[in-house]
Amino acid sequence: CVFGMLTGDVGERRALGQRDSTGEDKQTPGRMAVPFQCQALVAQIFSFTAFILMWVGMVRCNMIEFAGAEIGDTSGSQIKMQFGVWYYLGYFLTTPVGGTGNPVYVFEACRGYSDAIELDDYWKSARAFSALTFIFAFVVVISNTVTACTNRSNSPMDYNLTNRWEPPAYLLTCLFSGLTFLFFKSDACVNNPLVAAIRDSAISSAPVFDFPDTCSLGQGGKIMISSTVFWFVSALASAKAYKAEQAEKANVDTAGLDEPLVGP
């Protein structure tokens, strides 16, 4: 399917170019410089990249983070508490091996939020838009791939390789992805109860850390920003590919009208 999009049967299209009164082909300089198949392929590459980045950014638990240093520690070392829309970096307080020394915090794998965490409206909205982003992205990418391969099999001219609905679908996915960043207005960023639990720990022997009042952008958030940008570029690329395909189709249809109805 992808190889067919790259090759595009260029020779076959040239055979169907406009003809003059002698029946010979009239070649338009630069006509095949960037065939719409290549433009459609570029749009699909961008959309696949956006989908992969979106998936990686969503499943990670470090969309935002709080970096804090232990009070009284002059070494400059920090710990990072990391949070995502759906998961956060789990931790627990433990005593060093041998039972001597002060307890330390150990961070493990991502885990889901407990029911004790109350989600505010921004957090709930971020989750809703995150789910919409995934649903739209999955449907658009799968539909685009199936449609492209089906049209490639049924149409030797590759027309209908692009679709009118692709650019607005990519734009909607971009919009939903961007609105996921409402997470930065939620309590997870400005009033995080898990950060407060460590900062205001009632365990006298537990280390005390000085965390900032608001979060900062984590690696997962940076990946989501990249995904949002790629969705937007996919919309532009698919719109250009659709316009190029329609222009070439109209040109071939017009060329067919120039052929004589009766032979010499």
Side-chain angles (χ1 to χ4, degrees):
C1 175
V2 173
F3 179 76
M5 291 169 61
L6 278 172
T7 57
D9 297 329
V10 174
E12 185 175 352
R13 281 173 178 70
R14 287 178 175 171
L16 292 177
Q18 292 184 347
R19 297 183 178 181
D20 55 22
S21 57
T22 62
E24 297 182 354
D25 290 343
K26 292 191 299 183
Q27 299 296 335
T28 303
R31 176 72 174 84
M32 301 302 296
V34 183
F36 71 86
Q37 293 92 344
C38 292
Q39 297 183 40
L41 176 61
V42 169
Q44 285 195 335
I45 291 176
F46 279 128
S47 65
F48 278 124
T49 303
F51 183 82
I52 294 173
L53 290 174
M54 176 208 67
W55 179 269
V56 174
M58 280 188 179
V59 299
R60 297 176 70 94
C61 54
N62 58 353
M63 186 173 184
I64 61 174
E65 62 183 29
F66 292 82
E70 183 177 355
I71 296 178
D73 183 10
T74 58
S75 65
S77 60
Q78 292 183 326
I79 65 170
K80 290 184 178 181
M81 299 192 68
Q82 300 174 338
F83 303 89
V85 176
W86 300 94
Y87 308 98
Y88 74 100
L89 183 62
Y91 64 91
F92 60 90
L93 188 64
T94 185
T95 303
V97 177
T100 60
N102 294 327
V104 295
Y105 287 102
V106 176
F107 292 87
E108 45 181 3
C110 296
R111 64 171 65 168
Y113 294 98
S114 68
D115 295 336
I117 302 297
E118 296 184 4
L119 308 183
D120 63 350
D121 291 339
Y122 286 113
W123 200 333
K124 293 178 181 178
S125 298
R127 283 193 167 189
F129 286 120
S130 174
L132 286 173
T133 301
F134 177 79
I135 293 172
F136 264 74
F138 182 80
V139 172
V140 168
V141 170
I142 297 299
S143 298
N144 189 17
T145 303
V146 172
T147 301
C149 293
T150 302
N151 288 335
R152 171 66 185 170
S153 301
N154 296 336
S155 175
M157 293 300 296
D158 283 351
Y159 293 129
N160 299 322
L161 185 62
T162 60
N163 301 280
R164 185 189 298 270
W165 53 263
E166 289 179 26
Y170 288 140
L171 278 178
L172 275 177
T173 308
C174 173
L175 175 63
F176 293 147
S177 179
L179 289 173
T180 303
F181 286 88
L182 287 172
F183 188 55
F184 281 81
K185 299 285 289 183
S186 70
D187 287 344
C189 185
V190 298
N191 190 26
N192 195 303
L194 294 174
V195 174
I198 289 184
R199 184 171 50 199
D200 306 326
S201 177
I203 303 177
S204 58
S205 60
V208 180
F209 292 88
D210 182 23
F211 289 103
D213 294 331
T214 59
C215 66
S216 59
L217 184 66
Q219 186 176 6
K222 296 176 182 177
I223 294 175
M224 285 296 296
I225 291 176
S226 300
S227 173
T228 304
V229 172
F230 270 100
W231 284 124
F232 182 74
V233 175
S234 299
L236 297 180
S238 61
K240 183 175 178 59
Y242 178 78
K243 182 178 179 180
E245 180 183 24
Q246 297 306 307
E248 182 168 333
K249 183 178 180 180
N251 181 71
V252 173
D253 291 342
T254 304
L257 298 176
D258 294 336
E259 296 184 2
L261 298 178
V262 181

